Amino acid sequence: MSQLRKSFTSDSVPESGTLVIPDTMSQILSLLISKSPPHQLYLLYDSNYRGLDDVLEFYSNSWMECTVIEYTPDLEYFVDVISTPLIGTNTGRRHIVVICSRENVMEVFKTVSSKNLESVWNWWIIFAMEEETANLLRNIIREGSIVLLVVINPGENTFKLFSSHIEQNGDISFLERETWKLLSTESGEIFPQLNDLYSDFGGRRLTVTANNDSPFFVIKEFDNGTYFADSGIDVNIIDALGDTLNFTYKVMKPADGKWGGPLPDGTITGMIGEVARRNAHIAICEITVTGVREGVIDFTMPYYLEALTIISSTPAEKNRAFAVFSPFGYKVWICIALSTLIIGPVLTLESFFMKKYMKRDDVDTNLENFSFNMFRSLVVQTNRVQARYWPHRFTFVFWYLFCLNILVIYSGTLTAVLVTPAFEKPIDDLTDLPQAIGNGFTLGIVGETSFEYLFKEAKQGIYKETWNLFNHKDRSKSFFSGPDEPFDKILPDKLIFINAQLNSRIRATTRGLANFHFAKQLFYPQGYGIVCFSGAPFRSKFDQILSYMTEGGLISKWADEEVMKVAGKSSAEETKRGHTAITVKHLQAAFFVLLFGFLIAAVTLVIELTASKF
């Protein structure tokens, strides 16, 4: 401690236009930094101070990873340095020491705010000569900048430490630290541990932006026009976080009602834009984690994983007009027909040989009689041909066995075919979409979401081919603001909708699950995360609580509960897809055959009547 109380030298007397670095600054820095874990060091200084040589020498001799930067008005190089990702460090943290005039310090943090350079990895140590610097900084810095302000008083040979702090109303303030006690302690860190700092928000009221998106976030409106969270998986998550970390929240909808993200022109839409502009602290509403979005905001760990699916109307039941012929293929029917045509001549030939060579004059040699009775046997009618001799008897026995096999197989298969509905080919994969579009279907998706960008940004392959199938001439027919409108159009308008699994199953169930078909092939596995503004210091604490929820099965439980709310309707509808009674529609082919027979008989009668006149 006596080392800290060392008096300033005569060189510490300010000269006109400059500020002098006290000779104890190196010791102060050494003690401050020794209280922190391994890090990278950056020193930003300007020409307003004299006596920096000793400090720079101290850095060069004591710290291997030290970058010294001279202040320039554009701060271009400095911004490039501190925005570069940290590589090869144990903690991924950099300490940035700023020894500049008060005006330049203000410019530094204006730049940090305007360029969204707040980061939990950038921890600031600011040296100043006036306590007024704290009051000025509190109006410039934003949450995410972790600042330790060292105010040196050369006249009194002392200094004070102030650390940035978030008030309950969200404003920034600076709290004075117990300087001597702090610096004389053997253990502990100068900067607070963020997980400890944000383990209690102190009753803060956060702003949460979301869309009305069942089953994740259901929003209702108060009489005064403000919104509140009613129910949903994400509502349960944010409520649990609030209860655990001691914060409340209000709900706001994005002005454009979109999920959003960065666009090529630099604008940021939807919920992502509201958080990126810090109009809201967080966004949570079935928001997919993507690299493009992470360029402008920060995501927590994914708390829910699922994939995309294709939803279409239930395939139409196939035409059953000729269902009675479906048990056998056409080759089998040809063989049966040939066998029936051949058996009559075979019996007639047997009778001919028996009558000619065996002198069996009582055998029947009528071809028409044999053919008609063998057909009667095939359709399970009696055989009126008497088999007096063994050649006929053996032929009849094996013909009866043949008919029995045909009958048993046909009747069993026909019954199964008739009572089990048969449907047209369903849409089960992205490769089925071109044919469906050719048949008059329209492909739809929720616009300006990660789902759209998945196809839009594809350069080749099946995703690119699918992108070309959307209606780009009239976007209103393919790109929707939410999932409810397309679900209402799937049945009447022949719409095919690409959407997430759980969201789709809930909506299909409320509209009658049996009316919709979900593709067997899933694609594009994705995770949903909570959106935080860039550099949000509470993200790590959110990650910790979310990991407890997912590992404990809470989020899966909440998802199951949302499904169970509408599961009663689903079970009732599912029964409609089972076996059904045989109707006239199933047997219409039999009636067609009978009618065809009547027509043939009528034509034959007319021919015979005509022939009898001659």
Side-chain angles (χ1 to χ4, degrees):
M1 186 178 296
S2 60
Q3 184 183 38
L4 293 175
R5 294 183 183 275
K6 179 179 178 180
S7 299
F8 297 115
T9 65
S10 58
D11 291 339
S12 300
V13 179
E15 293 183 357
S16 176
T18 62
L19 296 173
V20 182
I21 300 298
D23 61 359
T24 56
M25 183 171 289
S26 296
Q27 292 91 329
I28 295 172
L29 284 172
S30 177
L31 286 170
L32 289 174
I33 296 169
S34 67
K35 299 294 183 180
S36 300
H39 47 265
Q40 290 184 330
L41 290 175
Y42 297 79
L43 173 63
L44 177 67
Y45 72 97
D46 64 16
S47 58
N48 290 285
Y49 283 90
R50 285 196 308 107
L52 275 175
D53 292 344
D54 292 339
V55 176
L56 298 179
E57 183 179 358
F58 165 76
Y59 270 101
S60 300
N61 294 335
S62 303
W63 304 99
M64 295 179 61
E65 297 181 357
C66 178
T67 302
V68 180
I69 305 171
E70 185 174 3
Y71 177 90
T72 58
D74 59 14
L75 288 170
E76 183 177 353
Y77 177 67
F78 178 69
V79 168
D80 289 342
V81 170
I82 67 171
S83 58
T84 302
L86 290 173
I87 301 175
T89 59
N90 294 330
T91 61
R93 179 189 304 172
R94 54 165 68 96
H95 281 180
I96 305 170
V97 179
V98 180
I99 306 176
C100 294
S101 67
R102 185 171 63 185
E103 292 75 14
N104 288 343
V105 169
M106 299 303 113
E107 289 301 319
V108 168
F109 281 97
K110 287 179 181 177
T111 301
V112 169
S113 297
S114 65
K115 295 184 178 295
N116 290 322
L117 297 177
E118 291 88 356
S119 172
V120 294
W121 316 123
N122 294 338
W123 291 14
W124 302 81
I125 302 174
I126 311 298
F127 282 87
M129 296 296 183
E130 309 91 355
E131 289 190 27
E132 179 63 20
T133 303
N135 292 329
L136 295 175
L137 278 175
R138 67 188 301 269
N139 296 320
I140 297 177
I141 67 173
R142 303 185 300 182
E143 185 171 12
S145 289
I146 306 166
V147 179
L148 183 69
L149 179 63
V150 183
V151 180
I152 299 174
N153 189 338
E156 298 180 4
N157 297 337
T158 60
F159 65 90
K160 295 181 179 180
L161 293 181
F162 298 86
S163 60
S164 58
H165 173 74
I166 308 296
E167 300 290 347
Q168 184 174 352
N169 62 2
D171 292 340
I172 304 293
S173 66
F174 280 87
L175 300 181
E176 185 174 355
R177 309 284 291 271
E178 297 181 54
T179 303
W180 304 116
K181 178 179 179 181
L182 179 65
L183 294 181
S184 63
T185 304
E186 294 297 330
S187 61
E189 294 186 5
I190 292 298
F191 288 102
Q193 290 294 321
L194 293 181
N195 276 0
D196 295 336
L197 184 64
Y198 282 92
S199 61
D200 187 348
F201 278 67
R204 285 178 60 187
R205 191 183 190 201
L206 304 184
T207 300
V208 177
T209 180
N211 283 321
N212 194 19
D213 180 40
S214 175
F216 285 89
F217 209 109
V218 177
I219 298 175
K220 292 190 176 180
E221 189 173 354
F222 287 114
D223 293 337
N224 62 5
T226 59
Y227 302 104
F228 68 95
D230 180 66
S231 62
I233 301 169
D234 289 344
V235 173
N236 290 331
I237 291 173
I238 198 65
D239 285 346
L241 286 171
D243 292 342
T244 305
L245 303 179
N246 188 23
F247 68 79
T248 60
Y249 64 93
K250 64 178 181 179
V251 177
M252 63 169 286
K253 289 183 177 182
D256 56 12
K258 300 174 181 177
W259 273 253
L263 299 179
D265 61 4
T267 59
I268 309 173
T269 61
M271 292 180 283
I272 303 299
E274 297 291 353
V275 176
R277 292 185 292 273
R278 297 210 180 197
N279 296 330
H281 294 90
I282 60 174
I284 178 171
C285 184
E286 193 187 10
I287 303 176
T288 303
V289 178
T290 67
V292 173
R293 287 171 171 169
E294 285 186 310
V296 294
I297 47 84
D298 289 341
F299 274 105
T300 63
M301 62 167 282
Y303 60 83
Y304 193 82
L305 302 175
E306 66 173 344
L308 294 184
T309 186
I310 306 170
I311 310 98
S312 57
S313 58
T314 297
E317 191 171 353
K318 288 184 177 179
N319 191 321
R320 311 305 293 272
F322 298 97
V324 291
F325 299 109
S326 58
F328 298 141
Y330 75 93
K331 292 182 180 180
V332 175
W333 283 115
I334 292 175
C335 291
I336 293 174
L338 291 175
S339 300
T340 306
L341 292 174
I342 292 172
I343 188 63
V346 169
L347 290 170
T348 302
L349 189 60
E350 287 180 357
S351 298
F352 174 80
F353 284 118
M354 284 190 291
K355 187 171 184 178
K356 181 175 181 179
Y357 297 107
M358 299 175 61
K359 307 304 181 181
R360 307 293 188 183
D361 295 331
D362 55 346
V363 294
D364 188 359
T365 58
N366 190 316
L367 175 60
E368 295 178 2
N369 189 38
F370 279 127
S371 296
F372 183 70
N373 277 280
M374 293 306 99
F375 176 75
R376 286 169 57 89
S377 299
L378 181 63
V379 294
V380 201
Q381 301 297 318
T382 58
N383 176 18
R384 296 182 178 181
V385 176
Q386 294 184 357
R388 296 187 177 90
Y389 304 103
W390 284 108
H392 281 172
R393 291 172 181 173
F394 280 115
T395 303
F396 286 164
V397 167
F398 287 100
W399 175 252
Y400 295 156
L401 291 175
F402 169 79
C403 294
L404 179 63
N405 276 277
I406 295 298
L407 174 64
V408 171
I409 295 174
Y410 176 81
S411 59
T413 306
L414 180 61
T415 302
V417 168
L418 292 179
V419 300
T420 303
F423 299 92
E424 300 291 345
K425 183 181 183 301
I427 300 171
D428 280 325
D429 192 81
L430 291 175
T431 56
D432 296 330
L433 292 178
Q435 181 179 353
I437 300 301
N439 292 333
F441 282 86
T442 302
L443 185 60
I445 201 168
V446 178
E448 296 198 29
T449 62
S450 61
F451 305 161
E452 178 185 348
Y453 294 126
L454 167 69
F455 299 103
K456 183 178 181 179
E457 300 301 322
K459 303 301 181 184
Q460 58 184 355
I462 188 63
Y463 289 165
K464 178 63 175 179
E465 295 172 8
T466 302
W467 174 249
N468 295 331
L469 298 176
F470 289 97
N471 189 335
H472 299 288
K473 294 182 179 179
D474 185 357
R475 283 184 58 90
S476 65
K477 293 184 178 180
S478 280
F479 301 94
F480 303 93
S481 59
D484 287 308
E485 181 184 358
F487 259 95
D488 291 335
K489 291 185 175 183
I490 289 177
L491 299 182
D493 296 345
K494 297 184 69 174
L495 179 72
I496 302 170
F497 186 46
I498 295 177
N499 197 34
Q501 289 174 276
L502 180 60
N503 185 301
S504 301
R505 189 159 293 277
I506 293 291
R507 282 164 171 75
T509 301
T510 59
R511 293 164 171 81
L513 190 60
N515 297 321
F516 299 89
H517 175 76
F518 286 76
K520 295 180 180 178
Q521 185 67 46
L522 303 176
F523 63 98
Y524 189 52
Q526 59 187 335
Y528 303 141
I530 300 177
V531 177
C532 309
F533 57 80
S534 294
F538 48 78
R539 186 185 67 169
S540 177
K541 191 63 181 180
F542 276 24
D543 283 342
Q544 185 183 69
I545 305 302
L546 286 173
S547 67
Y548 295 156
M549 292 184 190
T550 54
E551 291 169 6
L554 265 180
I555 297 177
S556 297
K557 173 180 176 293
W558 291 329
D560 292 340
E561 288 175 350
E562 291 298 322
V563 175
M564 290 302 295
K565 289 179 181 179
V566 291
K569 297 180 181 178
S570 176
S571 60
E573 293 288 343
E574 286 295 330
T575 59
K576 298 180 181 180
R577 298 297 302 273
H579 297 320
T580 59
I582 297 176
T583 65
V584 174
K585 184 177 180 180
H586 296 134
L587 295 177
Q588 55 186 311
F591 292 99
F592 289 153
V593 171
L594 180 60
L595 179 61
F596 182 72
F598 289 160
L599 291 175
I600 294 295
V603 171
T604 303
L605 177 60
V606 171
I607 293 174
E608 290 189 354
L609 289 175
T610 302
S612 65
K613 294 180 180 180
F614 296 97

